[in-house]
Amino acid sequence: MDHADGDEEASSWPLAGLPGELAVASYLTAPAGAAAQYRLIVDTLLDEQARSLTGVSRAGLEALLRRRLDQLGGPPDGRSPVRPGEQPDGPPLDRLGDLPLDSRLDRLVGWGVAVRWPGPAGDPWYQLTAAAAQLHRSVRRLGAGRARA
């Protein structure tokens, strides 16, 4: 039977035990601006994980993101980065203000990309899951290959 949207037919597929959605990769397929923001956060968490296995506090992550945006010279919303000799659209804090960090972190936790736990002072701390770290390392390698091609 042919279904208009295919939902009825597709709903039995998960019961077959076949692979389906890979939620940990969801940050890669978000709309363009959001995907750039998710990748910035995941990239920053992965770099921090290489330095420390204790995770990073919410405040620490914000500082790391601010520093990274300053180094990149562009906003995390998919717009073109600032070219040499041009001025960014505002200080790094203003560009970070365009990033809904808490809601992005909530989604990353929900997708199994990051884990969150209360830190010593009750503030949230974050770290990538092992699967997300492995996936993002692969994403970096793929991106590096495209840059050279």
Side-chain angles (χ1 to χ4, degrees):
M1 177 182 268
D2 190 24
H3 297 283
D5 60 9
D7 285 342
E8 291 83 6
E9 243 181 286
S11 67
S12 63
W13 279 93
L15 301 175
L18 299 171
E21 179 184 19
L22 184 60
V24 74
S26 296
Y27 73 99
L28 296 169
T29 59
Q37 292 173 349
Y38 286 123
R39 286 185 68 172
L40 174 71
I41 295 166
V42 171
D43 212 44
T44 302
L45 286 171
L46 184 61
D47 285 348
E48 190 60 21
Q49 199 162 315
R51 285 185 269 289
S52 170
L53 295 177
T54 60
V56 62
S57 69
R58 161 63 174 77
L61 179 58
E62 186 172 334
L64 290 167
L65 290 169
R66 191 175 290 125
R67 185 175 319 129
R68 183 166 289 210
L69 285 171
D70 191 32
Q71 291 169 348
L72 293 174
D77 62 1
R79 292 181 279 171
S80 299
V82 176
R83 290 176 181 80
E86 294 180 355
Q87 292 296 316
D89 292 336
L93 182 59
D94 291 343
R95 291 192 309 265
L96 188 60
D98 291 340
L99 194 160
L101 185 56
D102 292 320
S103 64
R104 296 293 187 239
L105 288 167
D106 288 345
R107 293 297 297 264
L108 290 170
V109 169
W111 288 328
V113 175
V115 292
R116 171 180 41 220
W117 66 94
D123 56 330
W125 281 63
Y126 296 90
Q127 188 170 39
L128 293 181
T129 62
Q134 183 177 4
L135 173 65
H136 201 66
R137 283 186 203 98
S138 296
V139 167
R140 280 182 171 178
R141 283 191 296 274
L142 288 170
R146 275 188 73 182
R148 287 192 296 262

